[in-house]
Amino acid sequence: MHNDTHDDTEDDYKTAAERNAAAARSTWTSVVVNLALTALQISVGIFGKSQALIADGIHSLSDLVADFVVLFASHHSKKDADEDHPYGHQRFETAASLILGMLLLAVGIGMLWSAFRKLESPESVPQVHSIALWVAGSALISKELLFRYMLTIAQKVKSSMLVANAWHARSDAASSLVVALGIIGNLAGYPILDPIAALIVGFMVAKMGWEFSWEALHDLMDRAADDQEVQAIRQTLLETPGVIDVHDVHTRKMGDMIVVDAHIEVDATITVEAGHDIAVEARQRVMMRHRVLNLMTHIDPWKRPDRDHAESTTTV
């Protein structure tokens, strides 16, 4: 649903500079919106005696924290490779997605705890002022528009970190919707609706946080790219002049980029130099057409026995 960032083609590939510019633009927009909403929701929540609106303001504050995590990760992920990080710093984005997921999980658990406490004593919920409903409605519209804007940019540049941050905004929109329903129920004389609604949203937010954390954790453990993308890379290798066949294509995620290892089969009678030239051409083609950070090739002789595969068949 919210991880569609991998349908890569040659035409829509974005450079690192474009991705970083998009990340900064969308995230600073989110900072401005969340800063305004946090101040408005908390102040009106105190004035209107709405605990739900105050909690929603704290949720918006967590978005501000998430935004600065994204800005920090975006700044560090664009650093060039160095001696300690020969493949670059792209996994700062994955780490940021993990932090965002954990933040969402913590906020969701906090909302669940608050809702349970309210369910224990619904009579303690005070009558709220009608202005709280207008603010909750305004927050809902603002968050939904922000979500759609951020998700569009995230999918355009194919950044899982920005997708995570966009869905964090959607979780706030859902929170504002439930807060609005809770306030309506409070004004109508049914205070129990507020903690029940908060319980539902708390579960949704916690579930989303768990999913993002789990996905990021797998990527940090060198999870492979999806089958569709691996097949596309394999096809590019096969289309390289001089490559007769391809096997053992292994991939691992590096942020939103991919590191690839592949065995390419070439004519066994050509020179080492010619085989090297074919491998260089294959690498250049893959890195131009796909979001591949690096490709390591192993040359095998076509239809000739080679020791690495001979050994593997005897040990099975």
Side-chain angles (χ1 to χ4, degrees):
M1 177 178 61
H2 47 260
N3 291 325
D4 297 333
T5 62
H6 56 261
D7 50 342
D8 217 19
T9 65
E10 183 178 358
D11 295 333
D12 60 10
Y13 176 76
K14 301 298 179 183
T15 66
E18 289 175 317
R19 288 156 56 82
N20 289 324
R25 184 170 64 253
S26 67
T27 306
W28 278 112
T29 300
S30 180
V31 166
V32 172
V33 172
N34 285 318
L35 188 61
L37 285 178
T38 298
L40 183 63
Q41 289 171 309
I42 292 179
S43 60
V44 173
I46 294 173
F47 171 78
K49 298 180 180 180
S50 173
Q51 294 180 345
L53 193 59
I54 294 173
D56 204 26
I58 295 174
H59 194 183
S60 296
L61 184 61
S62 75
D63 270 0
L64 268 178
V65 176
D67 290 334
F68 284 110
V69 169
V70 170
L71 289 171
F72 174 81
S74 179
H75 172 72
H76 284 276
S77 66
K78 65 184 179 182
K79 289 183 177 179
D80 295 330
D82 54 35
E83 186 176 348
D84 292 329
H85 305 86
Y87 291 105
H89 299 75
Q90 282 80 6
R91 277 191 175 162
F92 260 102
E93 287 199 9
T94 309
S97 294
L98 177 62
I99 293 173
L100 287 176
M102 294 175 66
L103 181 62
L104 274 173
L105 183 60
V107 170
I109 292 174
M111 294 174 70
L112 287 171
W113 175 256
S114 177
F116 276 123
R117 293 293 299 271
K118 289 181 181 179
L119 284 171
E120 291 177 347
S121 55
E123 68 281 353
S124 65
V125 179
Q127 179 77 19
V128 303
H129 195 283
S130 59
I131 191 175
L133 179 59
W134 289 100
V135 173
S138 300
L140 169 60
I141 295 172
S142 300
K143 284 292 183 179
E144 181 64 21
L145 292 175
L146 180 64
F147 159 74
R148 293 178 182 274
Y149 165 75
M150 294 177 69
L151 187 63
T152 298
I153 292 181
Q155 292 177 334
K156 184 177 181 181
V157 300
K158 303 186 184 300
S159 169
S160 60
M161 176 182 66
L162 293 184
V163 170
N165 206 30
W167 279 90
H168 195 176
R170 165 57 72 86
S171 74
D172 251 12
S175 175
S176 296
L177 173 61
V178 172
V179 167
L181 293 175
I183 293 174
I184 291 174
N186 184 290
L187 293 172
Y190 300 97
I192 194 66
L193 291 179
D194 180 57
I196 291 176
L199 195 68
I200 296 172
V201 166
F203 173 77
M204 292 170 56
V205 172
K207 179 176 180 292
M208 190 176 298
W210 169 259
E211 289 175 352
F212 278 126
S213 299
W214 190 246
E215 291 289 316
L217 186 61
H218 274 290
D219 285 351
L220 288 173
M221 296 170 62
D222 284 344
R223 179 169 54 179
D226 65 272
D227 292 339
Q228 181 182 357
E229 194 155 27
V230 172
Q231 287 302 317
I233 293 171
R234 186 177 187 278
Q235 186 61 36
T236 298
L237 288 170
L238 285 171
E239 292 172 355
T240 304
V243 175
I244 302 175
D245 200 3
V246 177
H247 58 270
D248 292 351
V249 179
H250 297 156
T251 63
R252 61 184 186 272
K253 303 287 286 295
M254 185 68 66
D256 284 304
M257 302 293 284
I258 305 169
V259 177
V260 184
D261 301 317
H263 287 223
I264 60 175
E265 297 182 28
V266 301
D267 188 344
T269 62
I270 64 175
T271 65
V272 172
E273 182 180 7
H276 172 265
D277 290 341
I278 293 172
V280 170
E281 175 68 17
R283 181 177 184 272
Q284 291 175 344
R285 283 171 172 252
V286 168
M287 293 183 67
M288 285 178 59
R289 298 185 180 186
H290 307 277
R291 52 196 182 107
V292 170
L293 184 65
N294 188 51
L295 168 65
M296 179 65 70
T297 55
H298 175 90
I299 300 177
D300 285 331
W302 182 59
K303 288 191 174 179
R304 292 287 182 89
D306 52 287
R307 290 186 177 182
D308 55 345
H309 289 85
E311 291 175 356
S312 64
T313 55
T314 56
T315 56
V316 173

